[in-house]
Every structure is written in structure tokens, then in C-alpha cells.
Amino acid sequence: MENIITTDEAIVGLYWARNEEAIRLTQEKYEKYLMKIAYSVLNDMQDSEESVNETYLKAWNSMPEQRPGILSTYLGKITRQYSIDIYRRRNRDKRKGSEYSVSLNELEECVSGGSTPDEELDVKILAETIESYLYSLKKDARIAFVMRYFYSDTLGEIAKSLGMTEAGVKSMLHRVRKGLGERLEQV
């Protein structure tokens, strides 16, 4: 009888042992999750597959030095970053209508990307301010924010996950962005 290893700890152990079975098990367990992240940024199946494949390679190359506490979060972060890199590279001159570009446009009202060093906020202060603000929110608002602006989920997906209407999610996110904008103005 074949022993199927599916726990994250066991999969990470296989990476550390340099056992290629780790990649197969990662793909088996997390491909759908990683493809969702990549597709929400890229809005293109081929680019999404490229991003997910790069994630497996990065995981393979990075695990001997790092031992992720939560494998899904670790992989999701890698996939998101690769997807954003691919998005930027392929869309330098024009944006496609992906959820990523839509969510970026929504955030522009409270976080501007200044064009000169004098206009830009220090990245560390910005991150600390956003983190502090998010922790001050109710759980549903915090979850909706992360789903929308980290995972680029649609309003419909967020509404379904939180048991709300799309209009309710849209309104809540508007209030969260407005509050975040006000908090950032205080910095």
C-alpha cells in the first residue's frame, strides 16, 4: 500500500530532503489555489501557468534556506509576486481588464504612487500604517480587504465567502479604503 504524504510539514520535509516528490505533491495539493491567485492578477491562463510553474521552481530553490510555517501562504506569496512581475512585464504600455488592475484602480483613491521621491511615502511606514489600520477593522472588513487587494478576488467571490451581497461588500470596501486614506493622511 502506497503511503500518500499530504501534510504541509511532510511536504516541506521532502523539499528539505531534496526529494522531487515534493513538487508533485505541492502541485497536487495547491495547483488550483495557486492558479486562482495567478489568474486573478494576469487574466490569462498561459501566463498563470507560467507563474505557477515558476512558483514550484522558486519553492524548490528556496526551501533549503527557508522553512515556511504555513506552506499555502508561502506559495501564494511567491505566486502573487511572480504574477505581478509577469503582469508588469507584459502590460507596460496598456493594462488588461484583470481583477488585479481593477483592484489597483480602487486603491488609487487612498494610496497614490507619487512620481517624485518627495511625494512617495517611506515603504516601511506605509506598510506599518496599513497593517495597523487593518488590525483595527472588524474581521469581515479585514478579510474582504485581503481577499480583494492581496488575492484580487472578485466582489462576487468575497460576497459568497462572507455571506454578504456584492453591494454590501462594495460598500464595505469603499468605507475601508476611505478610512485607510484618512489614516494615511495622518502619517
Side-chain angles (χ1 to χ4, degrees), residues 41-42 46-48 50-51 54 81-94 96 100:
V41 172
L42 297 165
Q46 188 174 4
D47 289 347
S48 298
E50 177 185 340
S51 178
E54 288 293 327
Q81 189 56 56
Y82 270 118
S83 298
I84 291 169
D85 290 346
I86 291 169
Y87 178 87
R88 287 179 178 152
R89 187 175 66 239
R90 300 237 164 94
N91 298 290
R92 284 189 180 117
D93 298 327
K94 73 173 197 178
K96 289 184 182 177
Y100 176 67

Side-chain angles (χ1 to χ4, degrees), residues 49-126:
E49 289 170 358
E50 177 185 340
S51 178
V52 171
N53 286 332
E54 288 293 327
T55 298
Y56 300 143
L57 179 62
K58 171 80 174 191
W60 178 260
N61 291 330
S62 67
M63 290 271 190
E65 290 90 34
Q66 298 182 25
R67 192 171 200 102
I70 302 172
L71 184 59
S72 61
T73 303
Y74 182 74
L75 295 169
K77 185 176 179 181
I78 293 170
T79 300
R80 185 173 184 275
Q81 189 56 56
Y82 270 118
S83 298
I84 291 169
D85 290 346
I86 291 169
Y87 178 87
R88 287 179 178 152
R89 187 175 66 239
R90 300 237 164 94
N91 298 290
R92 284 189 180 117
D93 298 327
K94 73 173 197 178
R95 285 187 174 176
K96 289 184 182 177
S98 72
E99 284 301 317
Y100 176 67
S101 63
V102 171
S103 66
L104 284 181
N105 288 335
E106 290 173 0
L107 278 178
E108 281 178 355
E109 65 191 49
C110 60
V111 180
S112 67
S115 58
T116 68
D118 292 338
E119 295 173 329
E120 292 184 17
L121 289 174
D122 177 73
V123 173
K124 184 176 181 182
I125 293 172
L126 177 62

Side-chain angles (χ1 to χ4, degrees), residues 1-58:
M1 186 167 83
E2 186 177 317
N3 183 14
I4 299 175
I5 302 171
T6 57
T7 67
D8 288 353
E9 187 175 302
I11 293 171
V12 171
L14 289 173
Y15 277 105
W16 274 64
R18 308 311 290 158
N19 184 329
E20 292 181 13
E21 185 71 4
I23 295 173
R24 187 189 68 75
L25 291 171
T26 301
Q27 183 177 16
E28 187 175 288
K29 187 170 183 180
Y30 290 111
E31 183 169 38
K32 186 175 180 180
Y33 165 71
L34 299 175
M35 284 296 291
K36 182 183 183 314
I37 293 170
Y39 192 81
S40 69
V41 172
L42 297 165
N43 201 34
D44 181 276
M45 193 57 73
Q46 188 174 4
D47 289 347
S48 298
E49 289 170 358
E50 177 185 340
S51 178
V52 171
N53 286 332
E54 288 293 327
T55 298
Y56 300 143
L57 179 62
K58 171 80 174 191

Side-chain angles (χ1 to χ4, degrees), residues 37 40-41 73 76-77 80 145-152:
I37 293 170
S40 69
V41 172
T73 303
K77 185 176 179 181
R80 185 173 184 275
F145 185 91
V146 171
M147 288 179 75
R148 183 68 175 162
Y149 303 114
F150 184 80
Y151 292 109
S152 302

